[in-house]
Amino acid sequence: AEDVEEQIDAFAGRAEDVEELKPETPADKKKDEGPGMVSLLISDLGVISWPSLGEVAQTFGIVLLLVGLYTGFIAVVDYGAQGVLGQVFADFYKAMKPEDAV
């Protein structure tokens, strides 16, 4: 029980005593080793396999086709829902319409 370390109060000292809070000196700064981030990005651009213009056009055409099909599907479902729900709620629509609007 005598090997227990005494607890140190983190707020008892001063900021100058804490190593992490001391300002960095030029000797403390580590020099960057190796290339910078921008040069690494530029070198990675050469490694990427870019698609040809034909592949881009084909993919773009497929996307446009799918967007058109999805839009058509939503339009058909919306039109059908309006027809069915219009019949269900027809009495409510008539009840809410003011008499002088007829």
Side-chain angles (χ1 to χ4, degrees), residues 69-100:
L69 290 174
Y70 182 71
T71 303
F73 172 75
I74 295 297
V76 168
V77 169
D78 182 50
Y79 182 74
Q82 281 181 0
V84 171
L85 294 177
Q87 293 173 359
V88 171
F89 294 111
D91 293 334
F92 295 107
Y93 295 150
K94 288 178 186 173
M96 292 301 294
K97 192 181 283 188
E99 294 290 328
D100 58 341

Side-chain angles (χ1 to χ4, degrees), residues 9-89:
D9 184 8
F11 300 104
R14 298 185 332 222
E16 294 83 25
D17 297 334
V18 179
E19 191 66 33
E20 288 83 10
L21 297 178
K22 292 180 182 177
E24 289 185 6
T25 60
D28 292 341
K29 292 184 181 178
K30 296 179 183 175
K31 296 208 175 206
D32 291 337
E33 296 178 13
M37 184 175 185
V38 174
S39 63
L40 288 174
L41 286 173
I42 291 172
S43 67
D44 282 348
L45 287 176
V47 176
I48 296 172
S49 60
W50 297 97
S52 67
L53 185 60
E55 290 173 327
V56 172
Q58 181 182 8
T59 304
F60 185 65
I62 291 171
V63 168
L64 288 180
L65 174 70
L66 291 176
V67 166
L69 290 174
Y70 182 71
T71 303
F73 172 75
I74 295 297
V76 168
V77 169
D78 182 50
Y79 182 74
Q82 281 181 0
V84 171
L85 294 177
Q87 293 173 359
V88 171
F89 294 111

